[in-house]
């Protein structure tokens, strides 16, 4: 991956001392341009022999004095990939978060990104909400509302969503989503309530009102997190930037 392929997407969203904060960045994964934005979930592998896990992008910034492009993410692992292993208390759609957020340079985060998630079989497939009757703009607005509500930041992602649409990422914005346990319970309850409803009423407004989530990707995998653990070897990863 060439460093020149890394670039910020959208306008800056904050300034503090030597740090400029951003909402998204663009990079190339296997020759294909991709955009990751705050709140996105994606698959990563921290080391070649490590298990695949899920990263949630939470902060992006540039350190102006050194021109370092940096990121902060939360990592989620399947219970069987944690020191304690899976037990009878773990749900089939459950993941466990690393207690400490990881700060890495963007160039290293991109190296972690994993495009082949075919072996990841866990997670509830989102549905059965039909979005064919919504316009593309309607889907974008639904996703925008969802993103703003989950981040609770008030950030405007319209410029980022436009860039994603220009890259053709509308249909595969995210393949995985991690919810809190209360959100997951509301989502499962919502699925029960709409399972016999006609498709004509399954709009984004209807689903959101019942506690669902607005997504435009095809069949994303829904998981939930309710616990954390201390990763025994992550601190030894040379890509971790403790100094920041």
């Amino acid at each position: 991956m060439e460093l020149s392929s890394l670039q910020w997407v959208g306008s800056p969203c904050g300034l503090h001392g030597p740090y400029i904060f951003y909402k998204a960045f663009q990079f190339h994964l296997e020759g294909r341009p991709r955009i990751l934005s705050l709140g996105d979930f994606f698959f990563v592998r921290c080391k070649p022999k490590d298990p695949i896990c899920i990263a949630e992008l939470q902060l992006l910034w540039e350190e102006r004095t050194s021109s370092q492009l940096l990121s902060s993410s939360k990592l989620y692992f399947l219970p069987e990939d944690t020191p304690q292993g899976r037990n009878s208390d773990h749900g089939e759609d459950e993941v466990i978060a690393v207690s400490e957020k990881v700060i890495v340079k963007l160039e290293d985060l991109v190296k972690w990104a994993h495009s082949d998630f075919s072996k990841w079989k866990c997670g509830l497939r989102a549905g059965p909400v039909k979005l064919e009757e919504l316009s593309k703009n309607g889907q974008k607005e639904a996703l925008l509302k969802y993103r703003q509500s989950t981040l609770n930041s008030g950030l405007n992602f319209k410029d980022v969503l436009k860039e994603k649409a220009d890259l053709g990422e509308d249909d595969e914005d995210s393949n995985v989503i991690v919810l809190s346990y209360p959100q997951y319970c509301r989502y499962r309850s919502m699925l029960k309530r709409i399972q016999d409803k006609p498709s004509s009423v399954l709009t984004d407004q209807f689903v959101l009102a019942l506690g669902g989530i607005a997504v435009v990707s095809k069949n994303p995998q829904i998981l939930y997190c309710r616990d954390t653990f201390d990763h025994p070897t992550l601190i030894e990863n040379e890509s971790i930037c403790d100094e920041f």
Side-chain angles (χ1 to χ4, degrees), residues 48-67:
K49 295 184 179 180
D50 284 356
I52 294 177
C53 65
I54 298 168
E56 177 186 1
L57 190 59
Q58 296 189 329
L59 204 61
L60 290 168
W61 72 100
E62 180 174 348
E63 210 281 331
R64 288 184 289 179
T65 57
S66 61
S67 299

Side-chain angles (χ1 to χ4, degrees), residues 94-130:
E94 185 170 3
V95 288
I96 304 178
V98 176
S99 54
E100 297 291 335
K101 298 176 182 178
V102 294
I103 296 176
V104 299
K105 298 176 183 178
L106 280 192
E107 58 188 277
D108 291 325
L109 183 67
V110 168
K111 294 175 183 177
W112 287 10
H114 199 71
S115 61
D116 181 13
F117 47 85
S118 58
K119 294 183 180 179
W120 183 280
K121 303 300 182 182
C122 299
L124 175 71
R125 285 291 180 179
V129 181
K130 297 183 181 299

Side-chain angles (χ1 to χ4, degrees), residues 177-189:
I177 297 174
V178 179
L179 304 176
S180 68
Y181 188 56
Q183 286 176 320
Y184 176 82
C185 291
R186 288 195 297 270
Y187 181 71
R188 292 298 296 260
S189 175

